[in-house]
């Protein structure tokens, strides 16, 4: 979906949010990897709370990113990009948005329906410690699928960015790195 008046560049806010969300998701993926190993209940609670804290931060940043995306749109892709690549780029970005949203919702839902509470930033809790096993299992399956799909799309996104940067010599990747040069506000 293109914005009615496409900007010449992403806003500085969009660029900052892109990188903050990327770093937070990658850090959260590393934190989540600890769940597979043996750990005490106290360590598991702390790890789940760390995971939920970053996930909650991602949710807040993602909501702002979506708002800015719909408010400002995105710059058009260069006309030299083959049509199939342009369509795949749009599809991949919207798939990432969809999967991030699904990951957030399934994470919050599984935390709420788990057999123990989770406390993001130690400020509030998700759930009351009373497990709804059926809901929990369905949401965990969705959360794990979304995680694997996001990892695949992140890898594809990085590959495409590097391809355009080094192989095709296009400015697509560089424009997301130039925080100081934006032709739009925010």
């Amino acid at each position: 979906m293109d914005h009615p008046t496409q900007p010449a560049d992403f806003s500085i806010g969009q660029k900052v949010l892109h990188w903050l969300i990327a770093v937070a998701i990658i850090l959260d993926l590393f934190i989540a990897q600890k769940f597979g190993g043996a750990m005490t209940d106290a360590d598991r609670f702390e790890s789940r709370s760390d995971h939920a804290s970053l996930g909650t931060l991602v949710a807040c940043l993602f909501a702002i990113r979506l708002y800015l995306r719909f408010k400002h749109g995105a710059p058009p892709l260069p006309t030299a990009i083959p049509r199939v690549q342009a369509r795949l780029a749009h599809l991949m970005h919207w798939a990432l948005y969809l999967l991030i949203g699904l990951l957030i919702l399934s994470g919050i839902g599984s935390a709420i329906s788990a057999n123990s509470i989770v406390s993001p930033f130690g400020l509030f809790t998700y759930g009351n410690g009373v497990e709804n096993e059926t809901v929990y299992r369905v949401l965990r399956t969705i959360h794990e699928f979304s995680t694997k799909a996001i990892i695949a799309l992140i890898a594809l996104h990085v590959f495409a960015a590097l391809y355009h940067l080094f192989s095709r010599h296009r400015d697509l990747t560089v424009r997301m790195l130039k925080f100081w040069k934006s032709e739009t506000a925010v």
Side-chain angles (χ1 to χ4, degrees):
M1 170 196 289
D2 291 328
H3 196 266
T5 56
Q6 288 185 297
D9 193 8
F10 288 104
S11 71
I12 292 171
Q14 286 174 300
K15 293 175 187 182
V16 169
L17 285 168
H18 173 271
W19 290 107
L20 286 175
I21 291 169
V23 168
I25 287 175
I26 291 168
L27 287 174
D28 213 12
L29 288 170
F30 282 111
I31 290 171
Q33 293 305 307
K34 292 178 10 178
F35 297 151
M39 59 176 53
T40 65
D41 287 343
D43 287 341
R44 185 168 304 281
F45 176 77
E46 184 177 341
S47 292
R48 287 182 66 225
S49 291
D50 291 345
H51 182 62
S53 295
L54 270 174
T56 301
L57 178 64
V58 168
C60 294
L61 295 173
F62 183 63
I64 296 167
R65 173 146 169 114
L66 284 179
Y67 169 76
L68 291 176
R69 176 67 168 84
F70 285 111
K71 182 178 180 187
H72 297 291
L77 294 171
T79 55
I81 290 181
R83 194 175 180 144
V84 68
Q85 284 184 15
R87 287 181 189 250
L88 285 172
H90 287 292
L91 178 65
M92 184 169 66
H93 278 94
W94 288 109
L96 273 169
Y97 289 161
L98 175 70
L99 286 170
I100 291 169
L102 192 59
L103 192 68
I104 290 166
L105 294 175
S106 63
I108 291 170
S110 62
I112 289 170
S113 60
N115 64 2
S116 62
I117 62 168
V118 177
S119 181
F121 302 108
L123 298 175
F124 59 93
T125 61
Y126 288 129
N128 57 8
V130 177
E131 181 178 35
N132 183 330
E133 188 175 347
T134 303
V135 172
Y136 176 78
R137 288 187 190 279
V138 168
L139 291 173
R140 285 303 305 156
T141 301
I142 293 169
H143 196 68
E144 289 171 10
F145 165 80
S146 299
T147 299
K148 290 173 184 172
I150 281 178
I151 291 169
L153 283 181
I154 288 171
L156 186 58
H157 186 66
V158 169
F159 173 79
L162 293 173
Y163 168 78
H164 286 291
L165 180 64
F166 296 115
S167 178
R168 305 300 299 180
H169 305 289
R170 294 194 180 112
D171 198 29
L172 289 174
T173 306
V174 174
R175 74 180 178 191
M176 203 48 134
L177 296 171
K178 290 184 177 180
F179 295 104
W180 62 90
K181 185 177 182 183
S182 179
E183 298 177 26
T184 59
V186 176

